[in-house]
Amino acid sequence: MYSTAFLDLPPMQAVSGEVHLPGSKSISNRVLLLAALSRGTTTVHDLLASDDTRVMLDALRQIGCVVDETGGSTVCITGLGGRAPLSPAKLFMGNAGTAMRPLTAALALLGGEFELSGVPRMHERPIGDLVDALRQLGCQIDYLGNDGYPPLRIAHAQGVPALALSAPIRVRGDVSSQFLTALLMALPLAAATQAVVIEVVGELISKPYIAITLQLLARFGIVVEHQNWQRFTIPAGSKYQSPGSIHVEADASSASYFIALGAIASSATGEKGIKIQGIGLDSIQGDIRFVEAARAMGAVVTGGANWLQIERGAWPLQAIDLDCNHIPDAAMTLAVMALYANGTTTLRNIASWRVKETDRIAAMATELRKLGATVEEGADFIRITPPAASTSTAGPPQGASAPSEDSEPRAAGSVGAPSGWKPASIHTYDDHRVAMCFSLAAFNPAGLPVRIEDPKCVAKTFPDYFEALFSVTQTATDHIPVICIDGPTASGKGTVAAAVAQRLGYRFLDSGAMYRITALAALRAGLAIDEGHEARIAAMAQNLPVRFEGGKVLLGGDDVTDAIRTEEAGMNASRVSALPSVRTALVQLQHSFRRLPGLVADGRDMGTVIFPDAPLKVYLTASAACRAERRHKQLISKGFSASIEDLRADLEARDARDSTRSVAPLKPAQDALVLDNSTLTIDEAVNQVLAWWQERQPFAVSAPG
Ligand SMILES: Nc1ncnc2c1ncn2[C@@H]1O[C@H](COP(=O)(O)OP(=O)(O)OP(=O)(O)O)[C@@H](O)[C@H]1O
Ligand SMILES: Nc1ccn([C@H]2C[C@H](O)[C@@H](COP(=O)(O)O)O2)c(=O)n1
């Protein structure tokens, strides 16, 4: 997961390959609660690991369920099965509506004293209709803040009061279907001896989510009948029974981003778009109907029992006018697809967006405008006209060729005149779906990067979303940004480069390590490091069995992390690096680190030879005295003794060799910015490099955080 303040997505072009999606949030949290209410142990396979399931699992543990999470995405829950929950308890629900609402209802019917709270946004999300329904039954629930909103207290310390079950329980269905879901999952607890009827007041929105609830209830032994989605009957004699084991389907809303990707991006050469594993056309989730909307816009979607394949079809995409009540979450993805359409797209009947993780209509309108779209918003609709839509011309229909290494910046096809698009830093409102759907804007025809602020908000449903996106996306190599940090020994290159990479979410290349490993491998093979052995050492370098894993450097099966860090290993690296064929042999390996979303590379010739097109080159230096002192401290802290004078003599000798060799000598690139950090702290040096980087970006500086 990217935990950086922001993530800059370079302009992207083609897609290919396969993604495995995480489990559905809606199914995961329903299954967890049903398992918790059941008799017996339920093994839940492919459970989504996310913020929302985390709060549910923690709450279930707190109320006395046995939760075994040792099996990765397989979790075992031993339910209460008629036992009273542990109480009193204070339960934190984060921003998970799928945990807050059903747990409130279930705990009210189980008995005990509970306080349920969440993040500030959760305290702005309505729960009044559910509480009203529970109060109708006789439950005692108090608001601890504002009426109608969490936090709240269930005051059943003396047990569940006598419930008024003879009349139908009425609940509004037009604000959130989660209120009805909550009652449907809780009321079987009160239906041991008599049937319980729920009546929906107003038009029921998001019926597909209720369909999921009914299907899952049936798996746990409760068969609910309904009349036209308005009247639901829970039969007398209802009793939760664990199905033993249950699989969670991949998340259909998460699939929408990759379906859209297949519709927007051209396929890499010889590939047929993108394949999604874990969900098929027969999914029980309502958002699978996003496929129909994507097809209407132009996507070519095929599928089987547990997979979907998507290719670009009509291009530009076709504008649509759609009632999205049946796909409220996935419809946000359509709003970004609308940027690539041949006219104005209208998404209707989406009033529920206003009360989700953020006011999604307002958020989408604001961010789409930043990209250059013309957006009209109403209480329950959004209308999007793409940037420069009036000048749109049809591009190639499908299968446009993949970018080559040296291709000019070009977009995901040609949709309209690129001039209307603007570089934007997308604010994400702590809303995972805003972050994910706006990543699709990186395929814009203007070849502009897109900044996604607070990318870790995707943790709510898809922690590794951006990793999955990068794994199926291709772009021209010259679109992938590189920051080069070169300089003499012990100037702090490695320290600064690693920190800059970490702050930007970029990959990190320690090129010196390549030479250190080569020297070590040569010596271990009995080869002296000299011109006489140059060809053999170069051949070895070309096929180095090296892996970088979790901070460790592995050569073959050996952990050489410490062995390559000694002063002697540094001097040997300097010797081996003076052999021209060895340098040539290592070029490809170094280039292979240039991958999405970007790279920070440190060494001696990053800016001059390996990445001459890098948009930022820094030559980091410090006085010899200062560098010797830093190296001395570094060695002492690792338990090695050394004299500052010897260290200074060694590093000066190494610098002299590195700067005077015939090939790729150490020197600042012509366009490098020189940073003498003799009097700077590490943070100051890192911030200076980041400030230079920011100057090269088309976005305004992001707020710290
Ligand atoms: N202002 C500073 N900037 C960077 N590093 C600093 C600074 N002050 C102290 N140091 C320390 O200097 C030491 C040497 O840094 P580092 O190993 O990153 O240098 P390097 O240039 O990568 O060295 P080498 O060329 O040998 O790989 C580290 O212990 C680092 O913490
Ligand atoms: N791009 C590079 C990186 C390193 N070297 C050589 C010269 C150095 O003395 C030696 C060890 O590098 P360090 O790990 O100390 O950064 O490797 C080079 O020639 N080119």
Side-chain angles (χ1 to χ4, degrees):
M1 185 170 73
Y2 288 87
S3 300
T4 46
F6 56 82
L7 179 61
D8 289 343
L9 305 177
M12 307 212 237
Q13 298 173 319
V15 292
S16 66
E18 227 175 79
V19 274
H20 294 253
L21 298 181
S24 150
K25 177 184 65 156
S26 305
I27 297 178
S28 292
N29 266 354
R30 281 171 175 77
V31 164
L32 288 179
L33 183 57
L34 294 173
L37 299 177
S38 295
R39 190 171 299 281
T41 298
T42 308
T43 304
V44 186
H45 298 279
D46 301 325
L47 186 78
L48 170 67
S50 76
D51 291 350
D52 283 14
T53 49
R54 168 61 31 224
V55 292
M56 180 65 109
L57 285 164
D58 290 348
L60 297 183
R61 253 198 206 101
Q62 264 182 279
I63 63 168
C65 298
V66 179
V67 179
D68 177 0
E69 293 185 69
T70 52
S73 64
T74 298
V75 174
C76 296
I77 316 278
T78 304
L80 295 172
R83 273 188 297 128
L86 297 180
S87 137
K90 290 188 175 182
L91 307 174
F92 178 73
M93 301 284 96
N95 197 8
T98 56
M100 173 62 101
R101 278 97 180 232
L103 258 179
T104 296
L107 292 173
L109 297 190
L110 282 168
E113 181 140 343
F114 303 97
E115 277 184 28
L116 288 91
S117 64
V119 299
R121 174 64 186 167
M122 177 58 94
H123 298 172
E124 295 168 2
R125 297 178 67 184
I127 196 165
D129 293 322
L130 174 64
V131 171
D132 287 351
L134 292 166
R135 282 177 172 171
Q136 243 181 82
L137 273 168
C139 296
Q140 196 184 331
I141 302 178
D142 308 314
Y143 294 114
L144 301 175
N146 294 330
D147 272 9
Y149 299 88
L152 48 80
R153 179 192 301 115
I154 299 165
H156 291 175
Q158 311 308 321
V160 184
L163 299 175
L165 294 166
S166 48
I169 295 128
R170 291 162 62 79
V171 65
R172 275 181 67 179
D174 53 356
V175 175
S176 167
S177 65
Q178 285 180 8
F179 302 147
L180 176 58
T181 280
L183 291 175
L184 285 167
M185 293 208 286
L187 282 167
L189 296 168
T193 55
Q194 68 180 108
V196 178
V197 176
I198 307 170
E199 266 179 17
V200 177
V201 180
E203 192 205 341
L204 178 61
I205 59 167
S206 313
K207 293 187 187 78
Y209 286 108
I210 300 301
I212 295 180
T213 306
L214 298 186
Q215 290 217 29
L216 293 175
L217 278 165
R219 293 290 312 276
F220 283 82
I222 314 284
V223 179
V224 177
E225 295 198 339
H226 72 89
Q227 283 145 357
N228 204 23
W229 301 101
Q230 289 302 121
R231 193 181 157 89
F232 295 78
T233 305
I234 300 166
S238 289
K239 198 168 161 193
Y240 278 117
Q241 183 60 47
S242 166
S245 118
I246 189 162
H247 280 263
V248 176
E249 265 189 12
D251 193 283
S253 316
S254 299
S256 74
Y257 313 112
F258 293 94
I259 295 170
L261 196 60
I264 292 168
S266 53
S267 301
T269 316
E271 303 278 343
K272 284 175 87 55
I274 181 172
K275 188 164 190 179
I276 298 172
Q277 294 284 9
I279 185 166
L281 291 170
D282 60 349
S283 164
I284 64 166
Q285 299 167 69
D287 271 357
I288 194 63
R289 291 190 61 199
F290 175 83
V291 167
E292 295 162 20
R295 281 179 176 151
M297 293 191 84
V300 176
V301 185
T302 48
N306 211 26
W307 59 272
L308 299 169
Q309 179 91 34
I310 306 97
E311 276 179 88
R312 195 205 259 186
W315 191 253
L317 297 179
Q318 308 294 302
I320 53 170
D321 185 328
L322 190 70
D323 181 327
C324 295
N325 186 261
H326 60 299
I327 48 167
D329 287 347
M332 292 170 74
T333 312
L334 296 175
V336 181
M337 287 174 80
L339 294 170
Y340 300 93
N342 59 357
T344 300
T345 288
T346 306
L347 308 177
R348 300 179 191 278
N349 207 356
I350 51 168
S352 65
W353 282 21
R354 297 261 183 218
V355 293
K356 294 285 182 148
E357 281 78 345
T358 185
D359 177 342
R360 286 177 166 170
I361 295 186
M364 294 302 286
T366 305
E367 304 309 312
L368 288 164
R369 285 188 193 115
K370 282 187 191 167
L371 289 162
T374 304
V375 185
E376 193 188 332
E377 59 168 297
D380 68 347
F381 76 89
I382 190 165
R383 182 170 292 132
I384 304 125
T385 305
S390 57
T391 53
S392 285
T393 50
Q398 52 176 291
S401 61
S404 65
E405 284 229 337
D406 55 358
S407 67
E408 285 294 305
R410 120 188 120 71
S414 341
V415 63
S419 56
W421 284 80
K422 296 185 205 145
S425 180
I426 303 296
H427 188 68
T428 49
Y429 309 84
D430 199 18
D431 187 336
H432 54 139
R433 301 211 182 282
V434 175
M436 293 189 276
C437 66
F438 273 96
S439 67
L440 301 170
F443 289 82
N444 66 79
L448 294 168
V450 175
R451 174 166 290 181
I452 304 291
E453 297 173 13
D454 188 25
K456 70 177 178 314
C457 66
V458 300
K460 189 170 167 67
T461 48
F462 199 161
D464 291 335
Y465 171 73
F466 291 104
E467 288 83 346
L469 174 70
F470 296 144
S471 75
V472 291
T473 302
Q474 290 91 46
T475 197
T477 307
D478 55 2
H479 282 184
I480 302 175
V482 183
I483 300 174
C484 296
I485 304 184
D486 288 306
T489 302
S491 58
K493 305 177 299 297
T495 305
V496 172
V500 169
Q502 208 250 327
R503 294 268 288 273
L504 294 173
Y506 284 3
R507 294 166 194 274
F508 168 52
L509 166 59
D510 169 6
S511 61
M514 311 285 172
Y515 293 98
R516 288 172 183 260
I517 296 163
T518 304
L520 185 73
L523 292 171
R524 283 186 175 179
L527 302 174
I529 299 174
D530 55 31
E531 285 167 19
H533 296 96
E534 181 171 351
R536 287 180 66 188
I537 300 175
M540 208 175 214
Q542 197 131 35
N543 299 300
L544 272 184
V546 62
R547 284 179 294 141
F548 298 87
E549 279 176 14
K552 296 258 173 240
V553 184
L554 303 172
L555 180 61
D558 260 13
D559 180 351
V560 295
T561 319
D562 294 332
I564 62 165
R565 286 291 146 210
T566 63
E567 287 307 285
E568 190 190 352
M571 200 59 97
N572 289 334
S574 175
R575 286 194 191 98
V576 91
S577 72
L579 303 172
S581 316
V582 172
R583 300 200 75 81
T584 308
L586 288 174
V587 168
Q588 206 186 345
L589 179 59
Q590 294 172 81
H591 281 168
S592 72
F593 278 72
R594 189 174 192 170
R595 277 179 279 147
L596 288 167
L599 175 67
V600 184
D602 95 78
R604 305 293 187 286
D605 61 344
M606 296 296 98
T608 49
V609 175
I610 303 295
F611 302 110
D613 65 331
L616 176 61
K617 297 172 188 173
V618 175
Y619 190 81
L620 190 66
T621 187
S623 68
C626 177
R627 292 186 284 126
E629 199 179 309
R630 287 177 185 172
R631 181 63 20 109
H632 184 247
K633 272 197 192 140
Q634 204 176 15
L635 289 173
I636 298 292
S637 75
K638 287 184 188 160
F640 298 112
S641 61
S643 100
I644 294 196
E645 293 71 33
D646 290 351
L647 285 170
R648 179 169 175 166
D650 278 359
L651 66 86
E652 284 180 329
R654 182 135 74 100
D655 290 347
R657 183 185 298 105
D658 293 345
S659 328
T660 54
R661 65 185 174 221
S662 60
V663 196
L666 166 67
K667 62 174 181 187
Q670 266 185 346
D671 50 348
L673 297 170
V674 177
L675 179 59
D676 185 328
N677 69 357
S678 305
T679 58
L680 300 182
T681 64
I682 293 173
D683 277 352
E684 285 168 340
V686 170
N687 286 335
Q688 177 58 71
V689 176
L690 288 170
W692 282 333
W693 186 238
Q694 178 58 37
E695 281 170 15
R696 283 156 178 71
Q697 304 311 311
F699 325 106
V701 180
S702 182

